[in-house]
């Protein structure tokens, strides 16, 4: 999978892709992430990417021209399954959306800034708008990093124990069961004995029961 991220702050996005699972996914060539500096597509001598808002009011708006130049260039090189704009009023990211996007070959993610992008970008270039929650961030970069993490970790082969991602919360409409590691006894706080029974069937049943109970208690809306 190839992800092209259009941003005015490429440096802000470097770190999330340089560690742990996202780093390994790129090393294994299962995903290629390109950070594209929107200023490289500005058409004036000042590398401007934003301008005043028509109709007045505080705050700048990201101009259509550099974004269009950048998207035209990318689209001339390959086909894209989706051109996504990170936006607080987009569809709310969830596991189902992450699963769906993880199956794509090529996507573009546009990060907004300031007051957002000129509406004509959204109308004519963007195929999907995604929000990471009902709150406003100062830019789309952190939201794009969240989206990418949720997608990349479920690409087959990225997590070495492939089945482990399938048992994460939300994958089967349930919250994940509690997990424990050594020591067995920490100052009297013990691990449930069933997990030491060695009986896979009983352990699976216990985990499922825990998942159901947790989901009922914490996220009954998932039922
Ligand atoms: N004035 C706009 C917010 C602009 S915030 C409004 O009220 O809707 C600047 C940029 O940050 C946005 O263009 C978007 O790319 C990003 N952003 C902010 N909050 C976000 C969220 N919850 N999810 C995804 N992107 C977000």
């Amino acid at each position: 999978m190839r992800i092209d991220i259009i941003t005015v702050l490429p440096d802000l996005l470097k770190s999330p892709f340089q560690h742990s699972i996202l780093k390994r996914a790129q090393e294994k060539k299962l995903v290629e992430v390109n950070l594209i500096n929107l200023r490289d597509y500005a058409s004036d001598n000042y590398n401007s990417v934003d301008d005043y808002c028509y109709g007045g009011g505080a705050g700048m708006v990201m101009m259509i021209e550099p974004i269009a130049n950048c998207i035209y260039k990318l689209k001339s090189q390959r086909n894209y399954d989706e051109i996504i704009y990170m936006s607080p009023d987009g569809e709310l990211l969830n596991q189902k959306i992450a699963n769906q996007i993880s199956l794509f070959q090529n996507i573009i993610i546009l990060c907004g800034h300031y007051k957002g992008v000129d509406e004509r970008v959204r109308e004519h270039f963007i195929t999907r708008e995604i929000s990471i929650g009902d709150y406003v961030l100062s830019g789309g970069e952190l939201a794009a990093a969240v989206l990418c993490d949720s997608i990349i970790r479920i690409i087959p082969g990225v997590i070495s124990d492939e089945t482990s991602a399938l048992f994460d919360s939300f994958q089967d409409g349930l919250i994940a069961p509690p997990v424990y590691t050594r020591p067995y006894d920490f100052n009297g706080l013990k691990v449930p004995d069933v997990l030491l029974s060695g009986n896979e069937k009983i352990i699976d049943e216990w985990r499922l029961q825990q998942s159901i109970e947790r989901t009922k208690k914490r996220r009954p809306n998932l039922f």
Side-chain angles (χ1 to χ4, degrees):
M1 180 183 204
R2 178 186 167 113
I3 306 176
D4 290 308
I5 307 180
I6 305 174
T7 166
V8 287
L9 296 172
D11 284 347
L12 180 58
L13 265 172
K14 278 187 187 149
S15 175
F17 296 102
Q18 285 171 346
H19 305 273
S20 180
I21 292 174
L22 304 198
K23 180 183 176 200
R24 285 202 298 279
Q26 292 169 92
E27 286 169 353
K28 288 187 193 167
K29 307 261 182 267
L30 294 169
V31 67
E32 181 186 335
V33 179
N34 298 296
L35 303 178
I36 300 166
N37 191 341
L38 183 61
R39 290 193 191 281
D40 294 343
Y41 293 86
S43 41
D44 67 7
N45 292 335
Y46 305 101
N47 292 341
S48 310
V49 290
D50 58 316
D51 208 336
Y52 295 101
C53 189
Y54 268 120
M60 305 294 273
V61 176
M62 286 174 72
M63 295 188 289
I64 188 168
E65 216 178 342
I67 296 171
N69 289 343
C70 181
I71 293 177
Y72 284 142
K73 170 91 180 292
L74 291 171
K75 282 175 83 171
S76 74
Q77 293 164 343
R78 68 196 64 78
N79 289 323
Y80 284 92
D81 299 287
E82 208 86 89
I83 302 181
I84 298 166
Y85 173 50
M86 302 312 302
S87 180
D89 59 4
E91 55 181 326
L92 211 50
L93 178 62
N94 59 27
Q95 191 62 50
K96 197 170 151 208
I97 296 173
N99 290 349
Q100 205 180 61
I101 297 177
S102 74
L103 301 173
F104 292 149
Q105 279 301 306
N106 302 311
I107 61 168
I108 294 175
I109 302 177
L110 172 64
C111 304
H113 253 277
Y114 321 113
K115 275 176 83 75
V117 299
D118 187 307
E119 189 63 19
R120 291 166 292 182
V121 171
R122 302 174 69 167
E123 285 169 3
H124 300 288
F125 292 96
I126 298 301
T127 61
R128 192 162 192 170
E129 302 190 333
I130 294 179
S131 163
I132 63 159
D134 287 346
Y135 41 82
V136 176
L137 304 166
S138 40
E141 284 73 17
L142 298 180
V146 169
L147 174 63
C148 288
D149 191 320
S150 73
I151 297 167
I152 294 171
R153 65 191 299 283
I154 50 178
I155 295 174
V158 167
I159 296 183
S160 41
D161 177 6
E162 265 185 50
T163 53
S164 94
L166 298 178
F167 292 106
D168 284 335
S169 293
F170 309 111
Q171 277 298 10
D172 48 6
L174 292 173
I175 298 288
V179 289
Y180 299 87
T181 186
R182 286 185 292 182
Y184 165 70
D185 184 342
F186 174 72
N187 298 341
L189 302 174
K190 293 189 183 138
V191 173
D193 284 328
V194 60
L195 296 175
L196 287 88
S197 68
N199 186 328
E200 219 174 292
K201 189 164 168 273
I202 291 178
I203 292 173
D204 284 349
E205 276 169 12
W206 180 85
R207 286 186 170 146
L208 178 64
Q209 200 49 45
Q210 290 288 319
S211 282
I212 293 170
E213 277 167 29
R214 281 207 161 188
T215 311
K216 267 191 202 151
K217 210 155 120 194
R218 298 179 184 212
R219 301 295 298 274
N221 60 309
L222 292 177
F223 276 112

